[in-house]
Every structure is written in structure tokens, then in C-alpha cells.
Amino acid sequence: MSEFIAPLERLVESFQRLPGIGRKSAVRMAFATLELEESRAVEFAEAILSAKRDIRRCGCCFNLSEAELCPICSDESRDRSTVCVVEDTRALMSIERVREYNGLYHVLGGVLSPMDGIGPDQLTVKELVARCADGEVKEVIIATNPNVEGETTAMYITKLLKPFGVQVSRLAYGVPVGGDLEFADEVTLYRAIEGRRAL
Amino acid sequence: MSEFIAPLERLVESFQRLPGIGRKSAVRMAFATLELEESRAVEFAEAILSAKRDIRRCGCCFNLSEAELCPICSDESRDRSTVCVVEDTRALMSIERVREYNGLYHVLGGVLSPMDGIGPDQLTVKELVARCADGEVKEVIIATNPNVEGETTAMYITKLLKPFGVQVSRLAYGVPVGGDLEFADEVTLYRAIEGRRAL
């Protein structure tokens, strides 16, 4: 038996389907939605439908896009010889925010994780290889997350791309800027020492 | 300039309008919504519209309701001589969960808060008085929150209802069951001593 009247319960359940949203948060958000002005609520519902309807994957890099090519791939000023491989669009956006990288991207759509049934075929690995086989790409920077799956995926891709003569690199590991050595974990510190740079 | 493509930005903004949802949470939920199956996303949008369209205030107690009267007010087995006054529907539901109270409710729609421009006219105070003037209500239990505004509102209502000869009471203050005296604040302890019960 639900504790709420039907329309409210359905709204709570919809919020609850979002990952990381528990029952309590879902209830709080459902009540907040009820308090929205009519026009805001309509905008909210329309935004959900529009997001699903109008957003697709870029035909080149699999970034989110409204058009066949995403804004980055269709930007003529970007360096087409460099491709940064990321797990998802959010990682891509983190790198974009730095405003330092001027190449293109390739969104994998996840990382290799045999436990979850995710192999190369569930990712856009084949498409990445095809891009590198073209000859235009000279360098691939692998920016998967610094964990076991990200590492495994990076090594797998590196091996796959070797035959094409592209230069493959990985983001540097080390202590985070502004962090305190005291709180850095041992693996990070080990990587920071290993990757030390001459001054 | 927005960091996202337009349909995604609109979705982020909609989530962000919910109180307590910051930019980061809104972005996380917008991406999660994008990952929903098509049918789930449609259900979500429909749930928002339905909640706004199909839920109204009970004509008697102002609880959320699909019909003219809410399920509690239309339940013949409930004691119509007792009315529990709460700030909002969520407080009502907390009391319902105890499964101990068998009277009716009255949802104020907030508490007196002159700083926020909320006076008696912004609440359902007039309607509460009208209910008590009927003669059917014998007891009113005020269950506003145990803070300054809740207290002020309770005192205000008590004064208003006096002429009608109804018995007005307030939820008991004290140490929470299962709590530890060590962690109880001084005001709560003071109230617990003040309200001590003979054994």
C-alpha cells in the first residue's frame, strides 16, 4: 500500500528512478514539484521530453549533441589531429572547463567492466579505432578515470591503437594541486614520486 | 553562456528550481534523466503534469486530495470531534504513520512568520475557526513544529479558539525516545523536566 494518493506516488516513483535518489529525497522533490507554479511545472515536464527527443549522440565523437555533429566536432578552430578519450560527457565537460585543451574528443560511453557485462562492444571502441585508422589523428590522450576499470580500459585502447602509429598518452597521476601531502593516499603518492619531473 | 547544449541546460534549470537542489545535483539528475528509457522519461513528464492537474486541496482540511474531500475526511470511521492542526501535508503524514491518531486534521499551509510576510490570511486559520464554530469539534491538538514560529502560531490559534469552548492542546515536549540525555539540548531538557509525569 502506498502512503500517498496515486498522482503523488507516481511522481515520487519517477524521482526515485534517478540513480542516487532515495525515497526521502524523492518525496521531498515531489512535494517541491507540487509547489511549483503551473508554468514552471509545464516547463519541467517539457524539458524532460525535449531532452529525450532533441538530444542525440554526435556522429563523430559520441558527445551529446542537438545536430549530427556536436559543437566541438563542428568547430573549425579545433585541432583535429588530437583526440582525448573520455568515459562520458561529464568528463568531457570537466576538461572543457579547463580551457586548455583544443583538440577533439571521443566519448567511450563507459569503461570495460566484465563484472557488469561491459566489453569493448558496449563501448564506442570500434569507432575510435576507425577514427585513428583515418590518418588525420596523430595523438590520443586517454583520460579515463584513475581507477582500476579506467586503467584497464586505457591499456586495452593503447594496445588496439598501436598498429596505427598514433601517439597514445595518459593523463598524469600525482598529488592534486592545493592538496596536502599528509592526506594523499599511498598509491597516489607512489605515482607522484614515480612521475616526478625535473625542475 | 551556458556550458550545456540548450535542451540539457533547460532540464538542469528545471531541476535546479526545486528547493535544496544546487547546480551540481541538478546536473547529475539531468544526466540521469537522459539515461532513462524513453517510456520512463515520458512517465516522469506525465507524472509532473498529472500531479499539478489532479491534486488539489481537500475542501475541509486542506490535505492533498484527488477528490473534493481527502481520504481522511471522507473516512466515516474517524473521530470527527478531534482535529489535529499541522503545518503541512508532510507533518500530517508523519502523524498518520504512528497509526495512533484517529481524528481529523487541519493543514495550515505554513506558520506565522511576519519576516516572510506570512500572516493569518496566508494560512487556513479562518477555515479552522469556522470548523470549530460548528460545534462538532471538541478538541484541537496543535502539532506545529517545535520552534519559535510553530510556538507562536500555536499560541495565536489557542487564543482564537478560546471563545468556542473547544479543548486546545499542544504536542508534548521532551527527550526523544531512544535518545541519549547527554546529547539533548538544554531547552529540550528543561521542557522534559517541566513536563515530567508522575509514575
Side-chain angles (χ1 to χ4, degrees), chain A residues 3-4 36 52 93 97, chain B residues 3-4 34 36 52 97:
Chain A
E3 65 183 311
F4 300 118
L36 287 177
K52 291 300 281 188
M93 283 169 167
R97 269 194 290 273
Chain B
E3 61 182 317
F4 300 119
L34 273 185
L36 288 176
K52 290 300 282 189
R97 270 194 291 273

Side-chain angles (χ1 to χ4, degrees), chain B:
Chain B
M1 199 199 79
S2 148
E3 61 182 317
F4 300 119
I5 52 179
L8 188 55
E9 179 63 32
R10 282 197 298 269
L11 186 54
V12 170
E13 281 169 9
S14 274
F15 275 112
Q16 228 179 324
R17 281 197 196 105
L18 304 178
I21 304 296
R23 178 85 184 168
K24 279 201 165 180
S25 303
V27 168
R28 195 166 48 77
M29 288 195 280
F31 273 99
T33 305
L34 273 185
E35 300 289 324
L36 288 176
E37 276 172 50
E38 181 68 27
S39 64
R40 293 301 198 190
V42 171
E43 271 172 44
F44 191 0
E46 183 46 47
I48 291 171
L49 296 175
S50 156
K52 290 300 282 189
R53 188 181 57 223
D54 304 330
I55 299 177
R56 50 177 163 167
R57 293 287 165 180
C58 170
C60 176
C61 76
F62 297 90
N63 183 14
L64 298 178
S65 179
E66 287 180 274
E68 165 63 18
L69 285 183
C70 77
I72 295 171
C73 283
S74 47
D75 180 346
E76 294 289 339
S77 75
R78 303 206 53 141
D79 170 15
R80 316 193 82 75
S81 71
T82 312
V83 169
C84 177
V85 176
V86 290
E87 294 183 20
D88 50 35
T89 301
R90 303 190 64 180
L92 181 158
M93 284 169 166
S94 300
I95 295 175
E96 277 298 281
R97 270 194 291 273
V98 183
R99 293 168 193 282
E100 187 55 46
Y101 178 70
N102 194 42
L104 303 183
Y105 289 93
H106 192 85
V107 179
L108 284 178
V111 275
L112 295 176
S113 176
M115 298 279 283
D116 304 313
I118 299 177
D121 291 348
Q122 277 71 50
L123 308 175
T124 62
V125 170
K126 214 182 338 169
E127 290 83 353
L128 174 63
V129 172
R131 286 177 77 180
C132 293
D134 255 9
E136 197 180 11
V137 178
K138 304 292 180 214
E139 181 181 2
V140 168
I141 301 167
I142 303 183
T144 49
N145 284 325
N147 53 31
V148 175
E149 289 84 4
E151 207 58 30
T152 309
T153 309
M155 291 194 302
Y156 176 80
I157 291 174
T158 305
K159 209 180 286 179
L160 272 187
L161 298 184
K162 214 157 213 176
F164 302 104
V166 299
Q167 190 189 323
V168 181
S169 59
R170 178 94 175 90
L171 286 190
Y173 279 113
V175 286
V177 179
D180 192 319
L181 281 194
E182 189 184 345
F183 303 121
D185 64 286
E186 290 161 36
V187 181
T188 301
L189 266 181
Y190 172 76
R191 297 295 198 118
I193 295 168
E194 189 186 44
R196 66 192 178 278
R197 307 266 297 260
L199 293 174

